[in-house]
């Protein structure tokens, strides 16, 4: 690989830090999308905004006030004209068309942040260097700021390539957290003609220098919002008139976590949020829960989901309260195509900073890139999910998370080399 210029590498780090400072959760990435568009256009790309290809019936978990978010994005430095162009849906794609016949390679970079509060501790690098989140309760604690910056640097490197064939499509996907955006990108047909598809993630519990051409073992997952509606009453005066939504939700929470494991393989359940009640002396008339279920296969996922909905309904019935469940996100599972995983790990060997490159590595998370992977594989293409090791200060989604930026040039090099092998 020819040496990448210091300017490209420095710009990449600077962009990552800028994105880190202004994190945006799923479907609110107006500033992020505007910045990506601005950078790509300056490089000569035509950008296609989400609103042009995302259909509302494929959008999950979008409960936002778009006007407020757009206003915030502009206050935080987004170009107002671009925010106007973006329309309803965040995210975009752009294509590098070599003009020569050859394979279509699509890459996915997720751009959203996590609902998490960033630590203000002095030993936390973003705090120390002044690029910690300015958006309360929002934080890039999964590394997607890095993914976005790597995608933009790759876009820049591609423009210098004179020998490539085919097309390279760069997908900047909104709302990966909570697995909400991947399905909409897939159903938009963005990878229907792709011969190769690559998603990439930094960290994943592996140190800087380790690279995995294919990550497997994703869990199918469903994200649910649950609303319990009871009846408020005076807790001293006439408690018998109340219908207690708090107790229904609390009963459900404990029993959801008591769902038996399955001998057939891994399952997961989590009640991540439970808010209930209004006042000390009021029988709680409402409760709100955010839960997720997971399973290693469609069958295992269905097992947990079915038990969970049964427990939720039964708990509501016990306390005579109404229940409403709303699906907020969903992801299937996919396995990396072995040939492509091997090609990536071979391409990684030549990248400076790579100490070890393996073909496959299991992990127990979920990612809605699986929708895209599966679509490509079903249509005869190859797809892989590349793991780029990055030493982290704390686990993913923790407020003290920060990844080693040395993993970014590695990620860039691996993707660049891989494209040269596929489209060279
Ligand atoms: Zn995450
Ligand atoms: Zn992530």
């Amino acid at each position: 690989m020819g040496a990448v210029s210091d300017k490209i590498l420095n710009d990449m780090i600077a962009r990552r830090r800028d994105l880190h400072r202004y994190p945006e959760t799923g479907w609110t990435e107006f500033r992020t999308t505007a910045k990506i568009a601005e950078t790509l256009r300056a490089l000569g790309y035509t950008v296609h905004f989400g609103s042009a290809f995302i259909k509302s019936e494929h959008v999950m978990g979008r409960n936002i006030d778009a006007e407020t978010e757009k206003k915030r994005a502009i206050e935080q430095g987004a170009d107002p004209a671009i925010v106007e162009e973006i329309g309803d849906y965040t995210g975009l794609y752009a294509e590098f068309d070599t003009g020569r016949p050859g394979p279509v390679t699509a890459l996915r970079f997720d751009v959203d942040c996590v609902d998490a509060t960033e630590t203000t501790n002095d030993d936390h690098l973003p705090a120390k260097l002044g690029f910690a989140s300015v958006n309360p309760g929002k934080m890039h604690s999964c590394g997607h700021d890095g993914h976005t910056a790597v995608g933009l640097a790759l876009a820049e490197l591609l423009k210098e390539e004179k020998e490539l064939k085919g097309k390279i499509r760069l997908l900047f996907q909104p709302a990966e957290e909570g697995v909400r955006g991947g399905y909409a990108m897939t159903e938009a047909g963005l990878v229907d003609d792709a011969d190769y598809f690559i998603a990439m993630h930094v960290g994943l519990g592996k140190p800087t220098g380790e690279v995995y051409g294919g990550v497997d073992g994703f869990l199918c997952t469903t994200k649910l919002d649950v609303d319990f509606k009871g009846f408020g009453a005076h807790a001293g005066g006439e408690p018998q008139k109340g219908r207690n939504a708090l107790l229904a939700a609390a009963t459900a929470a404990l029993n959801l976590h008591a769902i038996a494991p399955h001998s057939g393989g891994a399952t997961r359940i989590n009640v991540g949020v439970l808010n209930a009640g209004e006042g000390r002396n009021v029988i709680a008339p409402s409760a709100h829960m955010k839960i997720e279920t997971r399973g290693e296969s469609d069958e295992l996922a269905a097992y947990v989901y079915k038990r969970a909905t049964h427990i939720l309904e039964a708990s509501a019935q016990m306390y005579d309260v109404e229940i409403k469940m709303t699906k907020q996100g969903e992801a299937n599972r996919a396995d990396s195509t072995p040939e492509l995983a091997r090609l990536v790990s071979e391409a990684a060997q030549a990248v400076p900073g790579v100490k070890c490159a393996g073909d496959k590595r299991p992990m127990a998370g979920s990612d809605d890139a699986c929708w895209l992977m599966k679509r490509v594989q079903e249509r005869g293409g190859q797809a892989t999910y590349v793991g780029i090791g990055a030493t982290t200060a704390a686990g993913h989604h923790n407020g003290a998370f920060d990844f080693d930026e040395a993993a970014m040039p590695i990620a860039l090099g691996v993707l660049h080399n891989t494209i040269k092998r596929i489209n060279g």
Side-chain angles (χ1 to χ4, degrees):
M1 179 175 88
V4 178
S5 78
D6 282 350
K7 181 172 183 315
I8 289 182
L9 296 178
N10 292 339
D11 284 353
M12 176 168 70
I13 303 294
R15 283 193 198 110
R16 180 257 160 167
R17 292 182 180 186
D18 173 71
L19 294 167
H20 190 91
R21 189 151 192 253
Y22 300 101
E24 300 176 301
T25 43
W27 299 119
T28 73
E29 310 93 329
F30 292 103
R31 182 186 186 275
T32 308
T33 302
K35 292 285 173 190
I36 296 168
E38 209 175 314
T39 306
L40 290 174
R41 280 175 173 170
L43 292 167
Y45 284 89
T46 301
V47 301
H48 306 268
F49 290 109
S51 300
F53 54 83
I54 289 177
K55 295 186 188 70
S56 57
E57 64 263 35
H58 302 135
V59 171
M60 289 183 280
R62 184 179 180 272
N63 314 309
I64 66 155
D65 176 356
E67 289 319 307
T68 306
E69 298 294 349
K70 287 182 188 183
K71 210 170 137 246
R72 176 200 44 75
I74 291 166
E75 279 162 14
Q76 296 184 335
D79 181 332
I82 301 183
V83 171
E84 175 78 33
E85 270 185 87
I86 291 173
D88 285 341
Y89 299 124
T90 47
L92 60 80
Y93 81 88
E95 193 167 86
F96 178 69
D97 187 350
T98 64
R100 284 181 284 275
V104 175
T105 305
L107 296 99
R108 196 267 336 233
F109 303 94
D110 42 12
V111 308
D112 60 326
C113 79
V114 181
D115 286 317
T117 301
E118 186 153 19
T119 178
T120 52
N121 290 348
D122 290 344
D123 59 353
H124 180 60
L125 196 78
K128 196 154 73 182
L129 299 185
F131 65 93
S133 168
V134 297
N135 292 336
K138 315 279 173 208
M139 179 192 174
H140 270 295
S141 55
C142 205
H144 302 182
D145 47 349
H147 300 171
T148 307
V150 167
L152 292 172
L154 183 67
E156 199 167 350
L157 284 185
L158 290 177
K159 283 287 175 181
E160 294 173 358
E161 292 290 343
K162 302 280 177 275
E163 315 270 281
L164 297 180
K165 301 186 298 242
K167 293 175 186 168
I168 295 117
R169 196 170 298 145
L170 306 171
L171 277 51
F172 291 88
Q173 184 205 303
E176 187 285 322
E177 298 295 346
V179 290
R180 298 170 284 160
Y183 185 68
M185 299 290 270
T186 308
E187 290 301 312
L190 299 187
V191 296
D192 284 8
D193 61 343
D195 300 293
Y196 297 90
F197 173 80
I198 298 166
M200 177 271 286
H201 209 297
V202 297
L204 306 178
K206 292 289 168 187
T208 308
E210 287 189 19
V211 173
Y212 294 86
V215 173
D216 278 342
F218 288 101
L219 302 173
C220 303
T221 183
T222 304
K223 318 294 185 191
L224 271 185
D225 275 7
V226 187
D227 286 290
F228 295 89
K229 193 167 164 288
F231 189 77
H234 195 295
E238 37 186 17
Q240 73 283 2
K241 288 206 174 153
R243 285 187 282 121
N244 199 322
L246 181 151
L247 289 179
T251 299
L254 291 175
N255 285 284
L256 286 167
H257 277 268
I259 291 174
H262 197 293
S263 60
T267 60
R268 301 275 192 280
I269 175 107
N270 191 48
V271 179
V273 172
L274 199 175
N275 295 315
E278 293 179 345
R280 188 190 307 281
N281 52 5
V282 183
I283 302 290
S286 64
H288 180 70
M289 264 176 148
K290 289 178 193 264
I291 76 164
E292 58 166 31
T293 59
R294 301 187 201 233
E296 206 181 320
S297 65
D298 289 332
E299 294 73 29
L300 290 162
Y303 159 76
V304 192
Y305 184 77
K306 186 162 173 253
R307 284 283 173 101
T309 50
H310 183 81
I311 288 165
L312 287 161
E313 278 160 5
S315 303
Q317 204 183 14
M318 277 175 77
Y319 292 92
D320 192 22
V321 306
E322 288 158 39
I323 184 168
K324 192 174 116 215
M325 299 180 229
T326 325
K327 199 180 276 185
Q328 297 290 347
E330 195 167 31
N332 63 352
R333 67 181 312 288
D335 289 318
S336 295
T337 310
E339 296 93 298
L340 184 56
R342 199 169 316 118
L343 186 149
V344 175
S345 69
E346 281 167 14
Q349 314 275 355
V351 175
V354 173
K355 295 187 196 90
C356 95
D359 288 2
K360 287 270 187 173
R361 143 152 223 262
M363 83 152 197
S366 303
D367 195 308
D368 58 8
C370 288
W371 293 117
L372 295 152
M373 290 171 72
K374 211 160 185 177
R375 174 65 62 91
V376 172
Q377 289 168 335
E378 278 166 4
R379 297 172 79 95
Q382 300 187 17
T384 195
Y385 190 98
V386 179
I388 303 286
T391 306
T392 58
H396 288 265
H397 295 198
N398 182 281
F401 175 87
D402 184 39
F403 69 90
D404 179 7
E405 287 174 337
M408 290 171 64
I410 293 178
L412 179 63
V414 170
L415 297 180
H416 190 206
N417 274 5
T418 300
I419 289 170
K420 286 202 279 194
R421 280 175 186 235
I422 295 173
N423 297 79

